[in-house]
Amino acid sequence: MYAVAVHLNDLFLVYVAVLGLSAWALVFHHGPLRRADLTFPAGRVRRTAAAVSIGVGVLFGGLWLGELVPALLAGEVPASIVEAGLWVNPIHVVDLSMVLPAFVLTGVAAWRGRAWGLLWLGPWLVFSALMGTSIVAAMLLMAAGGQTGTLPATVLVSVVTLFSLATSVAYLAGSDEPLPGSPHTSESSSSLRFASTSPR
């Protein structure tokens, strides 16, 4: 979003580089990861992580729609868009079309033990924690600058960030990539082995 939705600044090329490197890393490594012999946590760790992923998608989807739907029904532009001087908010577009559905679909798939959901659950939770941290930092800077009314949103995002961080650490700590030829000895993850024969 920083590469396309903020005014040109000294870090513009850094934003573009991060976006490009992330995209190409995904292109080149997604296939090998799907074919790798990976294991993932089962039981409470997996269900909790999946529930947090679903919750993030539903919560922020509800927040954005709660702002957009009343304004559209009234034939008005949401105040946040007017204040930002935008035609539309690109965060609304990207979140509602791709990011938030991905959180929900990944959580549901991981809850059901589907291979692609198990693979993507950790990255999406890490993304949630990192994005939440940046939002909280921005809100604290806004409050320090004298802007009022940021406390409720800061508390909400902080709670989401902490849940995302805790569940991502627990989930990724329970995931492992065994050495070639070695048996799977982890009882908690052996039932959710990720391989090319897993359902997708």
Side-chain angles (χ1 to χ4, degrees), residues 139-158:
M139 289 181 175
L140 292 176
L141 290 174
M142 292 166 59
Q147 184 168 338
T148 60
T150 60
L151 181 59
T154 302
V155 172
L156 174 62
V157 177
S158 297

Side-chain angles (χ1 to χ4, degrees), residues 9-103:
N9 57 57
D10 294 339
L11 293 177
F12 173 73
L13 292 180
V14 176
Y15 301 149
V16 173
V18 170
L19 176 61
L21 290 172
S22 301
W24 286 110
L26 177 61
V27 169
F28 286 116
H29 290 92
H30 181 252
L33 281 174
R34 286 182 64 88
R35 293 189 296 270
D37 190 13
L38 303 175
T39 59
F40 296 92
R44 182 179 300 175
V45 172
R46 172 175 61 88
R47 291 193 299 271
T48 302
V52 170
S53 181
I54 296 170
V56 169
V58 171
L59 174 63
F60 284 98
L63 288 175
W64 295 160
L65 291 175
E67 179 183 11
L68 291 169
V69 172
L72 292 174
L73 291 177
E76 302 173 349
V77 178
S80 63
I81 297 178
V82 175
E83 293 172 0
L86 300 171
W87 293 345
V88 295
N89 190 337
I91 295 177
H92 291 158
V93 176
V94 174
D95 278 3
L96 291 173
S97 63
M98 293 181 289
V99 174
L100 300 181
F103 271 107

Side-chain angles (χ1 to χ4, degrees), residues 34 38 40-41 46 50 104-122 171 191-195 197-200:
R34 286 182 64 88
L38 303 175
F40 296 92
R46 172 175 61 88
V104 174
L105 293 173
T106 298
V108 172
W111 186 285
R112 295 178 176 178
R114 301 296 297 272
W116 70 268
L118 297 173
L119 176 64
W120 282 102
L121 183 57
Y171 184 79
S191 62
L192 289 176
R193 182 172 176 176
F194 178 94
T197 56
S198 302
R200 288 170 169 74

Side-chain angles (χ1 to χ4, degrees), residues 38-41 45 118 122 168-178 188-189:
L38 303 175
T39 59
F40 296 92
V45 172
L118 297 173
S168 65
V169 170
Y171 184 79
L172 294 175
S175 303
D176 63 282
E177 183 174 0
S188 63
S189 60

Side-chain angles (χ1 to χ4, degrees), residues 2 41 136-137 164 198:
Y2 288 112
V136 170
S164 299
S198 302

